[in-house]
Amino acid sequence: MIVEIDRKSYEVIKEFNLADIYDDYYQDMIDWTHVNAIQYDKEEKTVMISSRNIHAITKVNWETGELLWILSDPSFWEKTKMKDKLLKPEGEIQWFYQQHSVVYIQEDIGEPLPKGQRRIMLFDNHWAKRRQAASYDHDPNSFVDIFIIDEKKKTVRQEYQFPCPKSKIRSNGIYVKEKNRLFSMEGSLEPAIDGSLGMVNEYDFETKELINQYSVETGFFSAYDFEPNYEDLGTPLPINSNYLFGSLYEPVKLKKLDREISEKPMKEKLVKYILREDILFVRAKDHCLRHIYFCGKEHIYDKDFTQTNQTNKVFIDANYAVLTPLHHLLPDHYELCIDYEGTIYRTQQWIEISC
């Protein structure tokens, strides 16, 4: 789903469901499309969309919802009803798989393009673990690709391709015309290189010679050129006390706790606690934390997290923080008791609400 939101009123202006423009051939899992990039063209009133899990770039008329074209390996779509929307390849193309960060290149590279042609750049992760493709060639590299699309003829050709270290997810490319450079930003190296998960490579655009290379130990999502506006940075920020929008579900007051609390201590490494102003963050393995009980001398509250379910085993070992607002708890000295996978443990973590 792509949602257009008014940035002043926060109202939803428009919703666009990609399931409405595709047949159901690849709608066979929860995250069947996985949109990871969009670019809106305000003059054309169109949106270009990167759908990672179907190895496709699509362009849509935002006013009418019409699917204008699909950029993808045609063999991947042979058994679908979408074949007539595919751009026809001109010349040899090494197709992309589970790509990220599609953008228009606004600058001319060499001679200006004829009217009706557009140049786009994307980061080809060249990875097909989430969605298998018979044409996937198992190339050990990722790539920054530049394509020229003729929107009148509905054709595409691969103009440039820059091989770079394999990055299985995230990542992007940047073209800098005035310096004749191309940057590849590998955000999630596979395998890690010298213990680093991220990398930035600077290439001479014409010769493809590697000029500089920087490693980032922790990895990243994507990288951008930083051009600070010192005048703006020197302007004091307005202080707004009402900086929280929306609300969190509040814990419910109980008459008593009808469940038995285990005498066994809870393993310290299973759960972590952070208090930020009047919001309690409790971090645990995905969907293992079912309730947080605030057990005071006079009052008991329950924050219930059982209304959601684990639906994707990909995240089963991930750790997340769940949030509980504390501002309406009555004054008391509360011990946190955690329902972890059906067993309630005392934590010896205390919160004092004084007023």
Side-chain angles (χ1 to χ4, degrees):
M1 181 77 76
I2 298 172
V3 181
E4 182 181 356
I5 299 173
D6 188 299
R7 293 175 66 180
K8 293 183 178 179
S9 68
Y10 313 112
E11 293 180 358
V12 173
I13 298 172
K14 186 172 184 177
E15 294 180 343
F16 182 80
N17 193 335
L18 270 70
D20 295 336
I21 61 170
Y22 284 98
D23 64 17
D24 59 2
Y25 189 83
Y26 286 122
Q27 296 183 42
D28 54 358
M29 58 181 176
I30 292 173
D31 194 16
W32 66 273
T33 178
H34 193 105
V35 172
N36 58 29
I38 62 173
Q39 187 163 17
Y40 177 67
D41 188 314
K42 63 181 180 181
E43 294 182 1
E44 293 184 340
K45 293 183 171 56
T46 58
V47 174
M48 184 169 60
I49 305 162
S50 171
S51 297
R52 172 182 177 239
N53 284 354
I54 49 175
H55 314 300
I57 309 298
T58 56
K59 188 172 182 179
V60 174
N61 184 315
W62 189 245
E63 300 283 289
T64 65
E66 178 189 2
L67 174 59
L68 301 176
W69 50 253
I70 302 173
L71 172 58
S72 183
D73 178 3
S75 67
F76 185 70
W77 299 87
E78 287 180 351
K79 297 181 180 180
T80 75
K81 301 175 183 178
M82 318 299 298
K83 291 185 288 186
D84 61 330
K85 295 294 184 179
L86 286 163
L87 296 173
K88 296 179 181 178
E90 292 186 335
E92 292 294 323
I93 292 179
Q94 185 174 12
W95 292 106
F96 50 85
Y97 300 92
Q98 292 188 196
Q99 74 291 334
H100 279 75
S101 306
V102 59
V103 293
Y104 290 114
I105 295 183
Q106 306 295 351
E107 305 94 336
D108 291 321
I109 300 176
E111 294 295 321
L113 290 175
K115 188 176 181 180
Q117 294 187 16
R118 302 289 301 264
R119 184 177 275 116
I120 70 169
M121 178 172 60
L122 59 87
F123 191 95
D124 173 16
N125 297 87
H126 221 75
W127 193 256
K129 292 293 181 71
R130 183 62 58 86
R131 172 76 72 182
Q132 299 298 317
S135 59
Y136 179 60
D137 57 9
H138 299 276
D139 193 298
N141 293 308
S142 291
F143 303 90
V144 176
D145 291 337
I146 297 177
F147 294 96
I148 293 179
I149 295 171
D150 190 319
E151 298 194 307
K152 292 182 179 179
K153 296 180 180 180
K154 295 292 189 292
T155 60
V156 60
R157 62 185 174 92
Q158 192 169 38
E159 186 181 24
Y160 296 97
Q161 185 183 53
F162 287 78
C164 56
K166 177 73 78 177
S167 180
K168 62 181 180 179
I169 52 176
R170 306 190 285 265
S171 314
N172 67 308
I174 294 178
Y175 169 63
V176 185
K177 180 179 181 178
E178 60 272 19
K179 295 185 177 180
N180 195 37
R181 294 288 188 266
L182 184 129
F183 293 84
S184 67
M185 316 295 197
E186 293 78 43
S188 183
L189 292 171
E190 179 61 38
I193 297 177
D194 295 331
S196 294
L197 294 175
M199 182 170 283
V200 175
N201 290 291
E202 178 184 1
Y203 299 95
D204 181 288
F205 188 78
E206 293 181 357
T207 66
K208 296 187 178 180
E209 178 188 357
L210 180 64
I211 305 297
N212 284 304
Q213 186 176 77
Y214 302 91
S215 295
V216 182
E217 184 176 352
T218 58
F220 51 87
F221 192 96
S222 54
Y224 299 91
D225 46 338
F226 178 51
E227 298 179 356
N229 184 315
Y230 293 104
E231 184 176 343
D232 284 351
L233 289 174
T235 303
L237 291 173
I239 297 175
N240 182 2
S241 60
N242 183 26
Y243 56 85
L244 294 176
F245 293 95
S247 59
L248 297 169
Y249 290 112
E250 298 175 346
V252 176
K253 196 173 189 301
L254 305 178
K255 292 183 179 179
K256 61 179 181 177
L257 183 60
D258 292 329
R259 300 179 61 192
E260 183 178 349
I261 300 177
S262 174
E263 296 299 326
K264 295 181 180 179
M266 187 173 190
K267 294 181 181 179
E268 293 183 5
K269 293 183 178 180
L270 290 179
V271 179
K272 294 183 178 180
Y273 313 89
I274 301 174
L275 188 62
R276 292 286 184 265
E277 299 186 24
D278 62 351
I279 305 294
L280 175 67
F281 294 71
V282 181
R283 184 178 176 86
K285 189 187 261 190
D286 189 30
H287 284 83
C288 288
L289 197 155
R290 300 180 181 179
H291 292 264
I292 299 176
Y293 295 103
F294 298 84
C295 299
K297 296 178 180 179
E298 299 181 12
H299 311 288
I300 298 176
Y301 289 86
D302 171 22
K303 180 64 186 288
D304 186 350
F305 295 99
T306 60
Q307 68 271 24
T308 63
N309 298 305
Q310 171 60 259
T311 58
N312 192 332
K313 292 184 178 179
V314 170
F315 305 106
I316 200 165
D317 291 323
N319 283 269
Y320 298 99
V322 294
L323 280 62
T324 303
L326 306 178
H327 56 269
H328 87 299
L329 269 63
L330 292 171
D332 207 336
H333 188 62
Y334 295 96
E335 182 181 10
L336 301 183
C337 294
I338 301 293
D339 179 343
Y340 191 91
E341 294 188 316
T343 300
I344 303 178
Y345 298 92
R346 296 187 184 278
T347 66
Q348 295 186 340
Q349 300 287 327
W350 301 83
I351 290 179
E352 182 78 29
I353 305 293
S354 58
C355 62

